[in-house]
Amino acid sequence: MAKYDPKSLKAEEFINDGEIQETLAYAEQNKNNVELIDQILEKARPQKTETGYVCAGLTHREASVLLACEIPEKIEKMYEIAEEIKLAFYGNRIVIFAPLYLSNYCVNGCVYCPYHMKNKHIPRKKLTQEEVKAEVIALQDMGHKRLAIEAGEDPKNNPIEYILDCIKTIYSVHHKNGDIRRVNVNIAATTVENYRKLKEAGIGTYILFQETYHKQSYLELHPTGPKHDYDYHTEAMDRAMEGGIDDVGLGVLFGLEMYKYEFAGLIMHAEHLEAVHGVGPHTISVPRLKRADDIDPDEFDNGIDDEIFAKITACIRLAVPYTGMIISTRESEEVRSKLLRLGISQVSGGSRTSVGGYTEAERPHDTEQFDVSDQRTLDEVVCWLMENGHIPSFCTACYREGRTGDRFMSLCKSGQILNCCHPNALMTLSEYLEDYASDKTKEVGYKMVEEELKRIPKEKVREIAEQNIQDIKNSNRRDFRF
Ligand code: SAM
């Protein structure tokens, strides 16, 4: 039997089934151990330092005890601390992005995904470079600055050269005052050499969802195709890091397996990255399985309700305090509202999950990857965020200033976020308000910008930010950043 070793590069050793089983048993035994639960909660709480806050985070065992705990007042405490952590490191900013589907050709047999090879009722489509350009113009016209590109796995139709061409095209389009300043990539596990090419193409985060950490289930859920190889998939982030990508994004597709198992695996994966590469995941996504063509989520036995989903989100926030957390439009406005208070730092908005969807007047459904619950426009999402006290941020500065990997983490820990990310958020929000917002959003937005400028601690930084925002209003000068 494999031995647990977070520093190992072998999947079965760093995501070790024996250790997960023991963790779940330990969590079950201690789920009513109030003294231990209080200690864990205290450990998770942010501590004030001279320059900002620090947070200890939690081990997978500690975090699993919290997840198992069903005592209502302790759950309330978890939510409270999750919000404290969120505010300490990410403030009230929420980063905005959109997915861009490039191709739904796929040779895998993932039983939960409509793009699986045997699905003959969806048309297969792959964007030409001209079509990529048109989609990017449509996204820029909405106001987007940050994309996550998505594609099925198909070495013939979507080879790495195709993905690289698309990235080049995306960065080359500058329509009116628009540009895409950060392209994150969500494509299948690949080789170190290909990760190096992605890094050279200037990608932001490399995102790959584990889907499930449970090996036996993984093998059954991915019966055919290259994705069947659990070890290759699970070890992908180490290859990405070896290829020079230091911002990686993890995720589990909740609903496929038992959530407590997945949660322990996810936190162990984060611990592994920290132990081996000295930097944890840049982001963690929390997608839930949704209805799609040929896919009925009720056929899967492990669906989680909104309450459990909220608890998972809060427990991730407590365990890995410096990691960004992403929620997509798979979730409704109501669910997103709740999770924004529990640690989410990035949301997608105005998304279309079909290949070529942004250039269609009506939302197309034929090539959609999953049903979008939150169908509001980007403008509606931006306005709603502000009305709920969040600053929508279109900022992409960190990665363009070389603040990736551990350099981003140290910015987070240094307490300089209010002098850096906060003004960047306000300047990019002002760009949005000036170039794309409806009258109502503009009004709500500039009120917020005015109020939030006052919170920048350093006077010099505040003055520069104010001046830049004036320039945005009075000229076509854009892309200011600290
Ligand atoms: N093909 C790539 C791969 O295998 O990782 C990546 C992209 S895939 C387009 C993006 C993600 O969508 C998958 O990793 C999966 O978690 C999620 N997904 C697939 N089917 C889904 C469904 N029915 N509901 C919600 N999310 C789904």
Side-chain angles (χ1 to χ4, degrees), residues 423 427 453 456 461-470 482:
M427 293 188 297
L453 275 167
I456 300 174
V461 174
R462 192 167 60 242
E463 279 169 17
I464 296 172
E466 278 166 356
Q467 184 52 53
N468 290 345
I469 289 171
Q470 281 314 314
F482 288 98

Side-chain angles (χ1 to χ4, degrees), residues 9-10 58 60 78 114 121 123 142 188 191 214 244 248 257-258 261 282 285 293 308 349 403 406 426 444:
L9 292 174
K10 283 194 188 149
L58 299 176
H60 59 277
M78 292 175 212
H121 14 103
M142 289 159 74
T191 59
H214 191 285
V248 299
E257 241 304 327
M258 308 274 280
Y261 192 101
H282 187 66
S285 300
D293 182 89
I308 299 285
R403 292 190 295 259
D406 53 355
L426 298 177
V444 176

